[in-house]
Amino acid sequence: MNGLNFNGKNSKDFGFVMKSENRQLIPEIHRQTVQVTGLHGLVDFEKDTYAPREITVLLQYIYKNTSMLMQHLEQVGAWLHSDGKYHDLYFDDQPD
């Protein structure tokens, strides 16, 4: 069973089973260019930037009753939105 590590905790700590939907290895690269009116072609600044990397996973959780589910969702919300800062994201099936 694979999981993900984020903000110091693993998804398995919350009883999740994870399935990867989309995990890009490399984000899309954008070349910085400008088209100037009256000139042929583009001005190329020879600088690449990366688009945001989107990762989609499916986390499944089996619950016994609605009360248990709501309590669980509050804990997961606190885990994912704990302090508004960026945190590293690691997957169990990827080597360090």
Side-chain angles (χ1 to χ4, degrees), residues 3 22 38 57 60 62-63 72 89:
N22 174 25
V57 296
Q60 296 178 326
I62 298 173
Y63 59 94
H72 188 261
L89 175 65

Side-chain angles (χ1 to χ4, degrees), residues 3-83:
L4 61 91
N5 290 288
F6 177 75
N7 194 14
K9 294 185 181 177
N10 191 292
S11 57
K12 294 181 215 173
D13 298 341
F14 296 94
F16 282 119
V17 175
M18 185 193 86
K19 178 184 175 192
S20 292
E21 297 285 317
N22 174 25
R23 285 173 38 195
Q24 298 174 321
L25 292 177
I26 301 172
E28 185 178 335
I29 297 173
H30 294 279
R31 186 72 173 204
Q32 291 188 350
T33 60
V34 173
Q35 186 170 6
V36 179
T37 304
L39 295 179
H40 298 287
L42 299 171
V43 176
D44 187 346
F45 292 99
E46 297 182 2
K47 183 175 180 184
D48 294 332
T49 58
Y50 292 99
R53 183 175 167 195
E54 293 189 20
I55 298 171
T56 306
V57 296
L58 175 66
L59 296 173
Q60 296 178 326
Y61 174 72
I62 298 173
Y63 59 94
K64 295 180 181 177
N65 56 52
T66 305
S67 175
M68 184 177 165
L69 173 64
M70 296 311 295
Q71 179 182 7
H72 188 261
L73 289 177
E74 288 178 13
Q75 293 171 351
V76 170
W79 168 48
L80 296 175
H81 298 285
S82 62
D83 57 11

